[in-house]
Amino acid sequence: MKLLLLFILFSFSAVAKDMTVFSMNLHCGLDDWQKRMDVIIDEVIRLNPDVIGLQEVCYNAEMNMAKYIGDTLSRKGYPVKSQHTIDTHRSFVKYQEQLLIISRHAAQDLESGNLPGPGFLQNGYISFRLGNLRFLTTHLHFALSSIRRSQYEFIQKKYGKQAVIIFGDLNSNPEDSETNVLKKALWTPFFDGPTFPSDNPKKTFDGYWMTEKFHEEVMATTIDRIFLNRGTQPSDHLGINLSILLR
């Protein structure tokens, strides 16, 4: 029993000192989605992130992107220890859209729910903890800044005092007024530049925000846009990858 506890503590300490978080909007089941996912999965295998957050993960009677991604990651050698989804809304008429969060470590304390917004185009969030740090992926409202402001307010009220990092397709960046609620609460942003559309990015939609409590644990970070300057893009958004060195 003591050996097991020591192994668990050692494993998490190794994770907690140096971790990577990958995020990407997958463009649902459009085009040749399996071929696109294989390209993304191969890049994820190369990056070997601790946490993966994916948006516009879709399913219907004929296809299930979350299952395909999890199964293919495992088959190609990525150790899927935690995998969770939450339904958000119907997408492109024929698909049910989801958020997907995956980790190569056993996670605790799964949380998910809906953000404020119109019921016909519901935005959600899904998160878990690794140790005392919480990782949350989301996809904020695509059109109205007033709705995104209310969604940021919800996130700040629920998570602002915890050690939390949020990431995903935020449809906004630190220059936008709706993010003032996070800036006033001393969240720290990490954005590497435009991510949409992927073939000629002009809009900065995808990034990370850390609460003050999370950021206090950080010594250094490196953020990169994934698939930048690539000829054929596997999605309409670039991926983003944040490497974190913790104290």
Side-chain angles (χ1 to χ4, degrees):
M1 185 66 175
K2 288 183 179 179
L3 288 175
L4 177 60
L5 289 172
L6 285 172
F7 174 76
I8 292 170
L9 289 171
F10 175 79
S11 297
F12 182 72
S13 66
V15 172
K17 291 299 180 183
D18 184 7
M19 57 172 47
T20 307
V21 184
F22 175 89
S23 178
M24 193 167 183
N25 181 317
L26 300 185
H27 202 38
C28 204
L30 299 184
D31 307 318
D32 188 343
W33 69 268
Q34 286 186 333
K35 183 177 180 180
R36 295 192 298 106
M37 290 311 99
D38 287 341
V39 173
I40 293 169
I41 288 166
D42 285 345
E43 186 66 11
V44 169
I45 296 291
R46 184 187 72 82
L47 293 168
N48 196 30
D50 295 277
V51 178
I52 304 164
L54 302 173
Q55 309 87 47
E56 291 195 11
V57 182
C58 296
Y59 71 89
N60 60 17
E62 288 78 40
M63 51 88 77
N64 187 322
M65 291 176 71
K67 185 177 187 308
Y68 183 83
I69 291 166
D71 290 349
T72 307
L73 280 171
S74 296
R75 179 171 54 80
K76 292 190 174 185
Y78 181 92
V80 177
K81 296 293 181 63
S82 301
Q83 176 173 334
H84 304 282
T85 59
I86 180 176
D87 286 359
T88 53
H89 58 270
R90 299 294 295 180
S91 181
F92 307 107
V93 180
K94 60 181 180 178
Y95 300 112
Q96 174 65 46
E97 187 171 314
Q98 296 181 310
L99 298 171
L100 170 62
I101 192 166
I102 293 173
S103 178
R104 66 195 315 275
H105 312 286
Q108 309 88 39
D109 193 19
L110 178 71
E111 292 185 357
S112 63
N114 293 325
L115 298 173
F120 66 90
L121 190 59
Q122 188 65 60
N123 301 114
Y125 66 92
I126 184 167
S127 72
F128 51 51
R129 283 190 304 104
L130 296 179
N132 67 330
L133 304 177
R134 179 168 291 279
F135 299 81
L136 183 153
T137 191
T138 188
H139 186 177
L140 300 189
H141 194 267
F142 77 99
L144 298 178
S145 62
S146 59
I147 294 177
R148 289 194 296 274
R149 184 179 301 109
S150 68
Q151 293 173 342
Y152 279 125
E153 289 170 349
F154 175 92
I155 289 169
Q156 159 57 21
K157 183 176 180 180
K158 185 172 179 65
Y159 291 112
K161 295 182 179 179
Q162 300 181 37
V164 177
I165 181 171
I166 67 171
F167 46 95
D169 180 357
L170 306 179
N171 279 304
S172 57
N173 63 71
E175 304 303 316
D176 295 326
S177 62
E178 60 262 35
T179 66
N180 285 341
V181 62
L182 300 187
K183 288 182 281 190
K184 288 178 180 177
L186 302 181
W187 292 61
T188 301
F190 296 88
F191 288 76
D192 189 43
T195 54
F196 178 86
S198 58
D199 56 352
N200 184 22
K202 296 179 180 179
K203 297 181 179 180
T204 305
F205 284 161
D206 304 88
Y208 305 79
W209 288 86
M210 288 181 192
T211 59
E212 184 178 23
K213 192 170 182 180
F214 193 115
H215 195 238
E216 287 172 351
E217 302 292 326
V218 175
M219 291 181 62
T221 59
T222 303
I223 184 170
D224 297 292
R225 286 172 290 171
I226 309 302
F227 303 112
L228 185 64
N229 299 322
R230 182 188 176 96
T232 302
Q233 292 291 339
S235 179
D236 62 337
H237 284 248
L238 298 177
I240 50 173
N241 194 59
L242 183 68
S243 298
I244 307 168
L245 179 63
L246 296 171
R247 299 185 191 281

